[in-house]
Amino acid sequence: MGVLVFRDGNFGRLKEGVISGGDLLGLDREKDRELIGWLLSMVGESKREKIMRRYGVEELPPAAVNIDDPEDQLYRTYYVLLEQVMRESSSEVLKKAAFGNRRESIGRFAFCRLTGFAWPAGECDAYSYRTWQCGLKKGVTRKEIEDFCREMTERHGPFENEAKAWLHELPLISDGKLEEWAKGDTERKDLSFS
């Protein structure tokens, strides 16, 4: 497996453009598609060509661009993180990311993956994608969600307010709905998250 974005400060290193050959080894061409495209866009041309041959990529994937705001700097990394939070298998790694990354996107995705929480879509269409909605990590129980939210609150973590709100909202959510979210069904039209 190549780079694990949520572990050991890897995301910060990658954002700074510090990419090693090993970061791209063993990635899944389909499941890591956004990550591969993002990493390819940041390496030098000779290295890029070698990596593209290894993965059978004939041309550099186009950069994801927010059509409503082409200057949106978060758009591409948002979708890389959305893809990669779904690939992270460790609850402890996600918990560490949620506590250790203030309110940055990586922390938001980690918090949402461990709780099922999502921010409401923004009023501006250009940024309405920024809900950090990513379902619920498989195997996370209601009690684990509650315990994590309590810990976030008690430690005055970066998502203290969201954790408090979610503790009030959670009793209204059925076990069946939590199970759906853990299976990848992240649509939640029946709830408001204000």
Side-chain angles (χ1 to χ4, degrees), residues 88-99:
E88 181 52 61
S89 61
S90 170
S91 292
E92 287 305 311
V93 166
L94 291 173
K95 186 175 176 182
K96 186 175 179 182
F99 276 104

Side-chain angles (χ1 to χ4, degrees), residues 108-154:
R108 288 177 187 257
F109 272 120
F111 178 77
C112 290
R113 191 71 175 149
L114 290 173
T115 62
F117 182 85
W119 275 262
E123 292 179 20
C124 172
D125 286 343
Y127 309 117
S128 63
Y129 70 92
R130 294 182 189 174
T131 63
W132 290 272
Q133 182 173 317
C134 54
L136 182 64
K137 185 179 175 315
K138 188 175 182 174
V140 174
T141 66
R142 179 181 296 274
K143 182 176 181 337
E144 290 171 326
I145 296 169
E146 292 167 347
D147 290 347
F148 177 63
C149 285
R150 282 190 192 96
E151 183 181 358
M152 182 65 70
T153 302
E154 290 165 6

